[in-house]
Amino acid sequence: MFQTTIAKLLPKLPESFVWRFSKKYIAGKDQESLLSKAKIENEKGANITVDILGEEIQNIEEAAYFFDQYMELIPKLADKNIDVNISIKPSMFGLKLDKERCYQYYEQILSHISQHESGFVRIDMEDSSYTSIEIELYEHFLQKYPKNVGLVIQAYLYRSHKDILQLMEKYPEYHLNFRLCKGIYVETPEHAYQDKQEVRESYLRILKSMLKGGCYVGIATHDSWLVDMILQWIKENNIPTKSYEFQCLCGVKENLKLSIIKKNIKNRVYIPYGKNWFAYSTRRLKENPKMVNDIIKSFFSCK
Ligand SMILES: Cc1cc2nc3c(=O)[nH]c(=O)nc-3n(C[C@H](O)[C@H](O)[C@H](O)COP(=O)(O)OP(=O)(O)OC[C@H]3O[C@@H](n4cnc5c(N)ncnc54)[C@H](O)[C@@H]3O)c2cc1C
């Protein structure tokens, strides 16, 4: 109740006030802020992936703006010797509004990005109404850009384990590349585990299948219990370090990130930026008021 009230109240507050807690999680409003945040993360020993804030466009014409932003950013990352690794939400390119246009945007970005050594596009995963069409999108580009494209899988969905087993069986010739996360959208018991421990168990089950099946995995979690279990299993099973990396969100659990880097394990930080930061922050909170707890904690530790 308290969380829901705060989440509803935030959009009515001045942007400067909301920025006070959002700035910890978002690089800034423009490319300059992103490039300087990325440099800082690189200096700490972390790799990065960039997310331009925006999703669920209402009109396909809006997609052109985001496409141009990504195309402009790619050479700038390369010029500054920063990873050319970007994350894109398919709803930002209007996957449900105009599939053909959305595919064209991904095609042009992938063709451009694949010319860079670290060039990589991660297809972010959205709510469960998108799961099948985002897997289909991944399969389409996997065949042309096997080294440059990867998909996100959400451990809370019942279907996810079967989905990855099917993909592995269907494409034995490719080194599939997944980011595994718990899942951030509010899903009903019809589609997703609701219990925290069940989600963790599903996460471990899926991760083990991916790593044993030879996939590359971006292990995206800040759950220390899960991280400890994973590190132990990886050690016991001699999983080579080149098969995985850990991933975290910008501004979340900095100490966990640094402790992973200290173990000489690759870590990638997901850095969002963009002019839509206010809409993004408030919409996310309305969708998932449980995040209020995390934000309140960080608000009181703001410098
Ligand atoms: C790199 C990356 C990419 C992601 N991409 C996607 C995606 O494409 N699709 C998708 O559905 N989800 C995505 N997520 C979000 C993910 O699904 C989870 O919702 C999120 O990571 C929280 O789960 P957790 O595993 O960290 O565990 P939790 O148990 O939720 O969190 C563990 C602890 O981490 C801290 N924490 C976690 N999240 C936050 C936060 N937002 N702010 C402050 N503190 C926090 C808290 O202290 C919390 O107690 C991504 C997450 C990461 C790290």
Side-chain angles (χ1 to χ4, degrees), residues 25 125 152 154 179 181-185 221-222 249 252 294:
Y25 303 107
M125 185 55 81
V152 177
Q154 297 157 324
R179 171 194 298 149
C181 65
K182 286 184 182 173
I184 203 161
Y185 301 86
T221 180
H222 319 93
L249 298 172
V252 176
D294 293 327

Side-chain angles (χ1 to χ4, degrees), residues 179-198:
R179 171 194 298 149
L180 180 62
C181 65
K182 286 184 182 173
I184 203 161
Y185 301 86
V186 178
E187 299 287 352
T188 63
E190 198 190 332
H191 296 114
Y193 297 106
Q194 308 290 312
D195 177 72
K196 185 175 172 161
Q197 198 55 28
E198 280 189 320

Side-chain angles (χ1 to χ4, degrees), residues 23-40:
K23 69 178 184 203
K24 194 174 166 199
Y25 303 107
I26 295 167
K29 297 163 199 175
D30 49 35
Q31 282 178 358
E32 283 63 43
S33 341
L34 177 271
L35 293 169
S36 72
K37 180 72 185 164
K39 269 275 168 232
I40 293 171

Side-chain angles (χ1 to χ4, degrees), residues 144-157:
K144 190 160 174 198
Y145 301 101
K147 292 192 180 129
N148 309 99
V149 67
L151 181 71
V152 177
I153 294 290
Q154 297 157 324
Y156 65 4
L157 292 187

Side-chain angles (χ1 to χ4, degrees), residues 31 36 50 56 69 139 173 180-181 192 200 247 281 293:
Q31 282 178 358
S36 72
V50 182
E56 287 288 358
Q69 290 289 307
E139 288 188 69
E173 71 277 35
L180 180 62
C181 65
R200 283 171 161 171
Q247 296 189 352
S281 309
N293 283 348

